[in-house]
Amino acid sequence: MNIWQGEFPSSNTEEDGYGTTAPVTAFPKQNKFGLKNIVGNVWEWTQDWWTTEHSAEPKINPTGPPTGVDKVKKGGSFQCHKSYCYRYRCAARSQNTPDSSASNLGFRCASSKLPDYLKSKDEL
């Protein structure tokens, strides 16, 4: 994952090779579900409105409230560091107003077909 390495906020050693965002192909190792790059790099916008009140009942694909002021963002970013923002994990969540923008805030594109530029030579 791509996160801040070194002394936050004065010195990023860039041990992972990146001072800010990293390309999609930068970290090729996948987890047990076959997913790659699911935390770090940029916080990811979600569709849900922010709330701090949650049901204790188990739900499949729960959604947030129907309206709100802030939207949920998840996953952490390249600016996360143990001393500042120790939340680079899939379940990490925070909020921003929908009109917010930042270099460490984005969204994830999903597809059932891998684009050719991301395929290995063996897959082409």
Side-chain angles (χ1 to χ4, degrees), residues 26-119:
F27 301 97
K29 186 174 180 182
Q30 62 186 30
N31 68 13
K32 66 182 179 179
F33 302 107
L35 302 172
K36 302 174 186 177
N37 301 309
I38 60 171
V39 296
N41 218 24
V42 297
W43 283 98
E44 296 176 7
W45 281 118
T46 71
Q47 179 177 306
D48 296 340
W49 290 104
W50 174 260
T51 185
T52 56
E53 298 178 21
H54 302 283
S55 169
E57 297 177 35
K59 292 184 179 182
I60 295 173
N61 194 19
T63 58
T67 62
V69 175
D70 292 340
K71 287 284 193 173
V72 175
K73 60 182 187 175
K74 295 192 77 164
S77 82
F78 67 86
Q79 290 182 332
C80 286
H81 183 268
K82 190 174 183 175
S83 69
Y84 169 69
C85 172
Y86 196 39
R87 296 175 23 200
Y88 30 87
R89 57 191 177 91
C90 297
R93 54 191 295 276
S94 188
Q95 84 279 4
N96 268 86
T97 57
D99 61 352
S100 295
S101 66
S103 63
N104 68 332
L105 180 60
F107 59 92
R108 179 174 295 271
C109 296
S111 174
S112 58
K113 183 176 185 287
L114 192 63
D116 286 345
Y117 77 95
L118 292 176
K119 291 180 180 177

Side-chain angles (χ1 to χ4, degrees), residues 11-23:
S11 173
N12 185 353
T13 62
E14 301 178 23
E15 291 173 43
D16 59 10
Y18 302 95
T20 59
T21 58

